[in-house]
Amino acid sequence: MCGIGGLAVYATAPRVSRPALAHVASVKIEAPAPDEVLVPPRDAADYATQRGDLNQLQAQLAVRHAKGEDVVDLAQEAVAQHLGAMVESWIGTPYGFFGTSEEPGGGRIACGFFVSTLLEHAGFDVQRIELGKEPSERIVQTMVAAEAIERFDKVPHTNVVQRAVAAGPGIYLVGLDTHTGFLIHDTRAIRFCHATSRKANAVVCEPARESRSLRSDYTVLGKLGAKAAVAWLEGRALRPPS
């Protein structure tokens, strides 16, 4: 159980079987050479610095976007690079069923609020508390275009992970029966980062293929893509579908 964001999920959600995904071939993880401007600073003093760097880059790219320059791909890469580093700063933060902490390492955090807090801190206009209370599928739907969301019914979690590997590097939102979190696919590995009530009882980033927490009868997967990037550039509100 994750608390709040995973409760009562899929009471009315469609269960779409994707048997072909059981045969996804093994794909080597590769990523394009990063744009130096977008690489998160390795010597960032603290979490506030990480947030500030991304927010500053958001402002710069927003100006270019407003002038008509196509910077959507740059925005996606910026979010992926910096948000991944920000997520790692939360590792070890204690889990709490009703936890709504806004500070890595301080207080407690539930899985839904972990996701919504990171999205807000990355510069997305989301309602942190309200979004964190939503069923996990609706969290994914808030951030990802409908046509880019994939649903898996009674498929091994390793096949879901392999689908993300095949789709390429980036940040993925994962909605499970009673849980939610991020799949972070970068040049190092593909990891499931989430606030868990399991043994660690804290935020963890673990090898996705080995994660027991990813096992779910029903899984929703969506990559932070153009929908989120454009909203990020324009400061547009992202809300759950009505």
Side-chain angles (χ1 to χ4, degrees):
M1 299 290 290
C2 88
I4 307 298
L7 292 179
V9 286
Y10 313 129
T12 59
R15 291 181 172 270
V16 180
S17 179
R18 303 254 177 145
L21 290 174
H23 306 291
V24 174
S26 177
V27 178
K28 181 180 179 182
I29 298 176
E30 296 181 348
D35 184 325
E36 291 298 326
V37 176
L38 304 181
V39 175
R42 296 299 179 184
D43 59 347
D46 52 26
Y47 187 69
T49 301
Q50 295 179 32
R51 287 183 63 182
D53 289 339
L54 180 55
N55 294 160
Q56 182 178 23
L57 181 55
Q58 179 183 15
Q60 294 170 352
L61 290 176
V63 170
R64 293 166 62 180
H65 175 71
K67 292 179 178 179
E69 187 176 347
D70 184 2
V71 293
V72 173
D73 287 346
L74 282 176
Q76 288 182 233
E77 187 176 350
V79 170
Q81 292 281 353
H82 289 260
L83 181 55
M86 289 167 63
V87 166
E88 292 182 355
S89 294
W90 282 80
I91 293 175
T93 302
Y95 166 85
F97 190 82
F98 295 107
T100 60
S101 174
E102 292 189 77
E103 179 184 357
R108 294 182 176 275
I109 193 77
C111 69
F113 293 125
F114 172 64
V115 171
S116 66
T117 298
L118 263 297
L119 292 172
E120 182 184 74
H121 288 185
F124 291 103
D125 183 356
V126 297
Q127 295 176 321
R128 185 180 79 94
I129 297 299
E130 288 74 10
L131 184 61
K133 294 177 181 178
E134 289 283 349
S136 58
E137 181 167 28
R138 284 174 60 81
I139 294 176
V140 179
Q141 291 175 314
T142 299
M143 304 301 299
V144 182
E147 63 273 14
I149 296 174
E150 296 189 71
R151 295 171 172 85
F152 306 83
D153 188 52
K154 293 182 173 61
V155 171
H157 76 283
T158 51
N159 293 73
V160 178
V161 174
Q162 193 60 38
R163 185 68 190 94
V165 171
I171 305 288
Y172 296 79
L173 297 179
V174 183
L176 306 166
D177 285 333
T178 58
H179 198 35
T180 187
F182 296 99
L183 269 183
I184 298 182
H185 176 191
D186 57 26
T187 56
R188 293 177 292 170
I190 184 162
R191 296 159 292 149
F192 183 41
C193 297
H194 58 117
T196 177
S197 61
R198 290 184 180 273
K199 185 177 180 180
N201 204 39
V203 175
V204 298
C205 283
E206 56 194 0
R209 291 184 180 87
E210 301 171 15
S211 174
R212 294 178 60 86
S213 296
L214 264 177
R215 298 175 184 177
S216 177
D217 283 343
Y218 183 63
T219 302
V220 182
L221 179 70
K223 185 177 183 179
L224 288 181
K227 172 186 175 180
V230 171
W232 186 75
L233 289 167
E234 297 178 353
R236 185 150 34 86
L238 289 161
R239 301 290 183 262
S242 56

